[in-house]
Amino acid sequence: MKLKHYFLLLVVGIVLLAVIAIVGTFRSHQTLYYIAEVFAVVLLVYLWHFYRKTIRPYDTLIGGVELVKDLDLTTRLAPSGQHETDVIVHTFNELLSRLRSEHLKLEEQYTFLNLLIEASPMGVIQCDLDGNVTSMNPAARRMLSPTVEETMRSLPLEQTTTVRIPGEPQLFRISHLSFLDRGYRHPFFLIESLTSEVRLAEKAAYERVIRMIAHEVNNSVAGLISQGEAVERLTALSAFVTRFAEVVKIPQPQFLLCDLSEEVEACQPFLENLCTQAHVSISFRLTDDAIPVHLDSVLFQQVLINIVKNAVESITEKGTATASEGASIVVQVKKTAANPSKGEGGASLVVTDNGHGIPPSVASHLFTPFFSTKPQGQGLGLLLIRDVLTAHHCTFSLLTDPNDGLTRFTILFPTKMDKPSS
């Protein structure tokens, strides 16, 4: 029986009870009084049955609504036996099944998207509607620096720019983009590392140019030297070009597990002699405990010599071959706290000097091929250092601290002690 039929019977019963009560009151018929009493009892029983058919299914539906509020999409409502209520229950259960299916689908997509963003080599920084950073993936944490943050703050929406980190060979492309969701535009940043691509493009370009120049110059010089014309000048010109050619002949590193302090100590006599000639004092702060790193000893020592040589030239007064009083260089090897998020391990080498320092305008051009501030400089020293340290997967920087005025060349070795890939 449908719910409206139960309701009509209830209305009819109440009307009959009222009629019997009125008639019995006016005529004082005892029989009608008893009939009214019996009918009232029957009506009470009927009301209880009506309650079971109406209120209890209603409570069941309310319970289902509470399940949806609690996001419990696995529970289903049982049929009540009442036609109208069972139609609602059946529809409700179907909606729950669809909601659960859509919820699982969206959850899978959300999980997949999160995993994709977390594993992406591109930095992704999400912002709220006010532009405040809400989250970032591991790649963004590795790339983030004061220079990148400053660029992000000044970058207009829907614009893209490139930025080079001062004192480092890092080059990034930063994009300030947005997407539309529910009528609101949500901003976010993408950070791409262009360092390796630009470095390979630069290397391919300068290798080709250098080889072409070296080939042509050496062929011409060889012929003129054999004729004895301007031998000294031509020999110097040949050596000049040969130095360029040597930059593109850096061999692939042959990695061995070495003690970083011992490698520095092996270079100590040569470095001391180099500094003594320029009247620069040099001191070494090495550790007694072994600091194991994978490196190519020959290439590493060549890098260290170039770093100290650059520091000596920075200290030396312009136009002279000697340094001012108190000039010093400190070579320090130490264990540091590992930072896996940036690929930095527990070993570092820092070369500190109190020379003239690096102006901010120059810092942004360091490690650029053939860039040099020296009148006769060729820009090869930092180029060689960059290529060798990059092949060792090291993080490195060359900066002058504005607080103490000291210039530090810092090298951080990779976190993993596994042999780096060549």
Side-chain angles (χ1 to χ4, degrees):
M1 186 181 295
K2 294 185 178 181
L3 188 61
K4 64 180 180 180
H5 296 155
Y6 281 106
F7 183 74
L8 288 174
L9 285 176
L10 178 61
V11 171
V12 171
I14 293 175
V15 171
L16 287 175
L17 180 61
V19 170
I20 293 172
I22 292 172
V23 172
T25 301
F26 280 103
R27 297 185 178 183
S28 299
H29 283 195
Q30 192 173 8
T31 303
L32 290 176
Y33 176 76
Y34 286 125
I35 291 174
E37 290 289 332
V38 172
F39 194 80
V41 172
V42 173
L43 189 60
L44 288 174
V45 174
Y46 181 82
L47 285 173
W48 171 249
H49 182 68
F50 185 77
Y51 168 79
R52 289 173 57 85
K53 291 294 183 180
T54 57
I55 305 302
R56 290 186 63 183
Y58 174 78
D59 290 340
T60 300
L61 295 178
I62 293 298
V65 173
E66 294 298 327
L67 292 177
V68 175
K69 286 183 179 180
D70 296 336
L71 294 180
D72 184 357
L73 304 180
T74 58
T75 306
R76 298 292 180 270
L77 299 181
S80 65
Q82 205 286 318
H83 177 71
E84 287 87 348
T85 305
D86 286 349
V87 171
I88 298 176
V89 167
H90 178 70
T91 305
F92 182 83
N93 287 339
E94 281 191 348
L95 288 175
L96 277 183
S97 297
R98 292 182 184 179
L99 282 174
R100 184 170 185 273
S101 177
E102 290 296 324
H103 180 74
L104 290 176
K105 184 179 179 181
L106 290 175
E107 194 173 52
E108 289 174 357
Q109 291 178 347
Y110 179 78
T111 302
F112 175 78
L113 181 60
N114 271 350
L115 292 175
L116 185 64
I117 292 176
E118 290 293 305
S120 172
M122 182 184 297
V124 180
I125 300 178
Q126 302 178 49
C127 305
D128 58 20
L129 297 178
D130 296 325
N132 300 315
V133 175
T134 57
S135 65
M136 64 180 70
N137 65 346
R141 295 189 189 95
R142 290 194 297 269
M143 299 176 187
L144 212 57
S145 68
T147 303
V148 172
E149 291 178 358
E150 183 180 352
T151 304
M152 288 170 51
R153 283 193 293 267
S154 60
L155 186 63
L157 193 62
E158 308 301 340
Q159 296 292 321
T160 298
T161 187
T162 56
V163 57
R164 186 181 293 273
I165 307 302
E168 300 181 19
Q170 304 295 325
L171 181 66
F172 298 112
R173 177 191 290 126
I174 303 176
S175 302
H176 191 187
L177 307 173
S178 65
F179 62 89
L180 197 63
D181 180 39
R182 301 174 188 178
Y184 293 97
R185 194 163 292 280
H186 297 260
F188 67 96
F189 290 93
L190 293 181
I191 308 176
E192 303 172 72
S193 176
L194 304 179
T195 307
S196 57
E197 289 83 355
V198 171
R199 183 176 62 83
L200 291 175
E202 289 176 347
K203 187 174 182 180
Y206 70 65
E207 280 183 357
R208 184 176 179 182
V209 172
I210 288 174
R211 284 172 179 156
M212 180 179 64
I213 293 174
H215 175 74
E216 295 298 327
V217 172
N218 284 332
N219 282 348
S220 301
V221 168
L224 293 174
I225 290 177
S226 63
Q227 297 177 19
E229 299 179 10
V231 175
E232 184 178 349
R233 177 57 187 153
L234 292 175
T235 302
L237 179 60
S238 179
F240 174 81
V241 175
T242 301
R243 284 198 295 274
F244 277 93
E246 287 175 351
V247 175
V248 301
K249 296 179 182 178
I250 299 175
Q252 287 294 325
Q254 302 299 315
F255 294 104
L256 293 174
L257 187 60
C258 308
D259 181 358
L260 185 56
S261 292
E262 290 182 357
E263 293 299 318
V264 174
E265 193 172 3
C267 285
Q268 185 171 340
F270 183 85
L271 297 178
E272 288 176 342
N273 182 60
L274 177 67
C275 292
T276 300
Q277 293 177 2
H279 303 282
V280 176
S281 67
I282 184 170
S283 59
F284 295 84
R285 299 176 184 175
L286 309 179
T287 61
D288 294 330
D289 299 330
I291 303 181
V293 291
H294 277 106
L295 50 79
D296 184 311
S297 295
V298 175
L299 290 178
F300 171 75
Q301 291 179 13
Q302 190 175 1
V303 164
L304 182 56
I305 291 170
N306 272 274
I307 293 174
V308 174
K309 181 175 177 291
N310 285 342
V312 170
E313 292 174 351
S314 173
I315 291 173
T316 303
E317 293 179 349
K318 296 180 181 179
T320 68
T322 59
S324 58
E325 186 177 354
S328 64
I329 295 175
V330 178
V331 180
Q332 184 177 17
V333 173
K334 60 180 179 180
K335 291 183 178 180
T336 58
N339 188 355
S341 66
K342 293 195 174 185
E344 299 166 0
S348 69
L349 172 67
V350 181
V351 178
T352 307
D353 71 76
N354 59 356
H356 293 89
I358 303 172
S361 59
V362 173
S364 59
H365 297 286
L366 294 177
F367 302 105
T368 301
F370 312 122
F371 173 79
S372 177
T373 58
K374 305 167 189 174
Q376 303 300 323
Q378 301 165 15
L380 300 180
L382 287 180
L383 186 61
L384 180 143
I385 292 171
R386 185 196 73 174
D387 288 348
V388 172
L389 291 182
T390 300
H392 281 73
H393 307 289
C394 294
T395 303
F396 52 96
S397 63
L398 175 58
L399 291 169
T400 298
D401 191 330
N403 297 320
D404 56 20
L406 299 179
T407 301
R408 293 178 177 86
F409 198 118
T410 304
I411 304 174
L412 300 174
F413 290 84
T415 303
K416 295 182 179 179
M417 291 309 299
D418 301 331
K419 176 182 175 181
S421 58
S422 300

